Amino acid sequence: MLEQSLSFLRGILALFFRSLRIEARSFRMHLLWFLLMLVIYMSLWMAQLWSQAFGAPGLRFFQYVAYMDAAFITLLGLSFFSTAISEEKEEDTLGLMTMAGIGSLGILLGKSTSRLFQVFLLLAIQFPFTLLAVTMGGLLPVQIFSAYMSLLAYTILLANVGLLCSVACQTNWKASRLTTFWLLGYLFTPLMALATKGVLTYRGWSADGTLRGFVMVALDWAARSTIFSDLHEVTVTSFEFRLTPQIVTNTLGGGISFCLAWLLFGFVSKEPATDSSSRGMVAKSTSGRLRFFSAGRVWDLPLVWKDFFFIAGGWGGIIVRCGLYAGLFGLCFSASRSSGSNMELKHVIYMFQMFAHPIVAIDIALTASFIFHEEIKGQTLSSLLMLPRSIPDLVYSKFLGCALALLPGILLLLSTLFMPGGSDFFKLMSEPYMFWWLMNLVLMIHLTALFSTFLRSGAFALAFGTIIGTMILTGMILGSVALAGGPDTAQGIIVLAVFLQTAACAACHGIILQRIPKLGEK
């Protein structure tokens, strides 16, 4: 009986240990180790820099490390965790694994849990170095332990949600996009819960033993379920370890997601391999109720027509985007009423613009990551280059097709400039710092399109991480310059950074135009 149990465990863990050995020898994992260690040195530099103006350098140092780790894990969720099973589906090797006698649990452990274990090891590398923050002052060891428990719980949740999305979706880009939508919900649901709690508190609701009290407690747990709010709580106000709502809900959510992926795996592993191309939200029927969502006849500009419907989502994508932006504005409007005071419309618009700018940029970047990816994966790029059209004409026709479906977000942002308070936003745009922030979003879009021509998956995650790194580095330089040379010198650094960002965007165009013919030859 014992031998049968051990044999069963060896069969389940065979792929798990094999994946660990491969990942331990891969260049990618060594690069991740280096980047996480680089976070330590960057955070130490920033803490030392700001310790001249503020106290508690140890607390500030660890806050930098914790928040960077949370952002780093989030980026891994968009590409590293969400492609565990979908990459096997794309290569049509999932059926071969099942035929080799590897059970569903063994495949899930080998393809996903091994990646989760690798991230645990990456965080464990940092732990001894972060104890240095205790000697710098302003922090206790129990706060470091609590913060790492929060990070581990968030990693468990994100890894298993990415696994569930990877099991449910047939391709990597669908899994990554579904994980991205889940992350947006993960970040915005606590804000909605906090706004609802504020409105109900203003109306006299309290956390008593009634049904109203249960609703208030549930809203409080939902508002405190994100990693970023919990990191603030454990590094500032927590002096003893306790199971916070974030640790409990994230761990339970990760376990439930893994069980759902396990249950769903038996159905998806029997499905035949799908074609490399996808219709997305474009209906096949050209008659009946779904006729509006079909591609219809080809336009006079066929490449614009193709990418408008099959990359950016077509008319269905426009409707979905309009609904999301309308919901975001409604969320901002309800949040402005959470305290019970009627906020002016222009302040609501300011709040909406603060969230809408990065969301629109992320939507554009995610779409840009698939413009060339679908052609490369479907091996249609070489046929496309045989058309009697120039390379710039082909490339920018594809960009134009996607831009047409992305117009709702762009037009909505432009329309807010002519609403109450729009003139103040124009004045804000004249500030170099605001223009630098917007140029970071523009550069992220260009880098995503560029990286998609080199990487099989994870172009957006790499571009986003690059932008975050450059923003942190620029902030560190600005801080040191402002302390040494004054604000005027720092403003000159910002102008130089905007010039370099513009040059980098132009360089992305040039590299893409040179890269496309080489990809067509492969």
Side-chain angles (χ1 to χ4, degrees), residues 63-294:
Q63 283 179 334
Y64 291 145
V65 173
Y67 283 111
M68 287 184 185
D69 284 346
F72 183 79
I73 294 170
T74 302
L75 293 179
L76 289 179
L78 297 178
S79 59
F80 189 56
F81 292 136
S82 62
T83 59
I85 304 298
S86 58
E87 64 183 11
E88 300 295 339
K89 295 180 182 178
E90 286 191 348
E91 297 177 357
D92 200 15
T93 57
L94 195 59
L96 296 177
M97 289 185 178
T98 57
M99 291 175 61
I102 304 177
S104 58
L105 183 58
I107 294 176
L108 295 179
L109 289 175
K111 297 296 296 181
S112 176
T113 310
S114 61
R115 301 187 181 192
L116 174 63
F117 189 73
Q118 289 287 346
V119 177
F120 282 173
L121 293 180
L122 293 176
L123 294 176
I125 293 174
Q126 284 188 339
F127 186 78
F129 296 93
T130 53
L131 292 177
L132 178 65
V134 179
T135 63
M136 298 172 62
L139 196 69
L140 295 176
V142 66
Q143 293 175 281
I144 297 178
F145 179 76
S146 300
Y148 269 97
M149 288 300 297
S150 300
L151 289 172
L152 292 179
Y154 176 59
T155 307
I156 292 173
L157 174 65
L158 193 55
N160 289 287
V161 168
L163 173 64
L164 179 60
C165 295
S166 183
V167 169
C169 298
Q170 292 295 325
T171 58
N172 287 335
W173 74 267
K174 286 184 179 181
S176 298
R177 180 162 291 186
L178 184 59
T179 307
T180 302
F181 285 138
W182 176 87
L183 277 172
L184 292 176
Y186 176 81
L187 295 176
F188 281 100
T189 298
L191 296 179
M192 297 176 62
L194 185 62
T196 305
K197 180 184 175 183
V199 173
L200 296 179
T201 303
Y202 176 75
R203 294 183 178 180
W205 287 40
S206 60
D208 50 19
T210 62
L211 179 61
R212 289 187 175 185
F214 175 77
V215 172
M216 294 296 290
V217 172
L219 290 174
D220 180 67
W221 272 62
R224 299 167 57 193
S225 61
T226 59
I227 180 63
F228 299 102
S229 61
D230 200 62
L231 287 179
H232 174 76
E233 180 179 346
V234 300
T235 56
V236 176
T237 62
S238 176
F239 297 99
E240 60 180 8
F241 175 72
R242 60 182 183 274
L243 293 177
T244 62
Q246 184 267 334
I247 295 177
V248 175
T249 56
N250 285 200
T251 305
L252 289 177
I256 294 173
S257 298
F258 184 85
C259 293
L260 291 176
W262 190 7
L263 293 174
L264 185 62
F265 184 84
F267 299 97
V268 300
S269 61
K270 299 177 182 179
E271 295 180 357
T274 57
D275 296 333
S276 60
S277 59
S278 172
R279 299 184 68 91
M281 289 180 284
V282 181
K284 295 182 180 180
S285 176
T286 57
S287 61
R289 297 180 179 179
L290 299 178
R291 181 177 57 185
F292 178 77
F293 297 98
S294 64

Side-chain angles (χ1 to χ4, degrees), residues 29 44 115 206 216 302 403 472 503 516 521:
M29 293 307 302
L44 186 60
R115 301 187 181 192
S206 60
M216 294 296 290
I472 293 175
I516 293 301
E521 297 174 358

Side-chain angles (χ1 to χ4, degrees), residues 412-430:
L412 188 61
L413 289 179
L414 293 177
S415 64
T416 57
L417 300 179
F418 302 96
M419 294 182 181
S423 59
D424 296 337
F425 187 78
F426 277 115
K427 295 179 182 178
L428 185 62
M429 279 292 299
S430 62

Side-chain angles (χ1 to χ4, degrees), residues 304-442:
V304 176
W305 168 83
K306 173 182 174 296
D307 283 61
F308 172 75
F309 282 102
F310 299 104
I311 298 296
W315 303 116
I318 290 179
I319 294 175
V320 171
R321 289 181 177 93
C322 289
L324 290 176
Y325 298 138
L328 177 62
F329 187 84
L331 176 62
C332 295
F333 186 81
S334 62
S336 66
R337 267 55 176 178
S338 62
S339 60
S341 59
N342 293 328
M343 188 181 295
E344 296 183 12
L345 180 59
K346 67 177 183 180
H347 294 133
V348 178
I349 295 174
Y350 288 159
M351 186 187 305
F352 172 76
Q353 288 176 332
M354 180 179 66
F355 290 107
H357 278 109
I359 290 177
V360 172
I362 290 174
D363 184 26
I364 297 175
L366 285 174
T367 305
S369 65
F370 303 116
I371 292 179
F372 306 112
H373 177 268
E374 290 298 309
E375 304 289 350
I376 297 171
K377 188 178 71 172
Q379 298 181 354
T380 58
L381 189 58
S382 57
S383 302
L384 194 65
L385 295 176
M386 294 175 63
L387 297 175
R389 301 176 64 176
S390 63
I391 300 298
D393 187 17
L394 294 174
V395 171
Y396 292 116
S397 293
K398 294 175 68 64
F399 282 139
L400 178 60
C402 294
L404 291 177
L406 298 169
L407 277 179
I410 301 173
L411 294 178
L412 188 61
L413 289 179
L414 293 177
S415 64
T416 57
L417 300 179
F418 302 96
M419 294 182 181
S423 59
D424 296 337
F425 187 78
F426 277 115
K427 295 179 182 178
L428 185 62
M429 279 292 299
S430 62
E431 295 291 333
Y433 292 95
M434 184 63 183
F435 200 73
W436 170 74
W437 156 250
L438 294 178
M439 281 303 300
N440 277 299
L441 300 179
V442 174

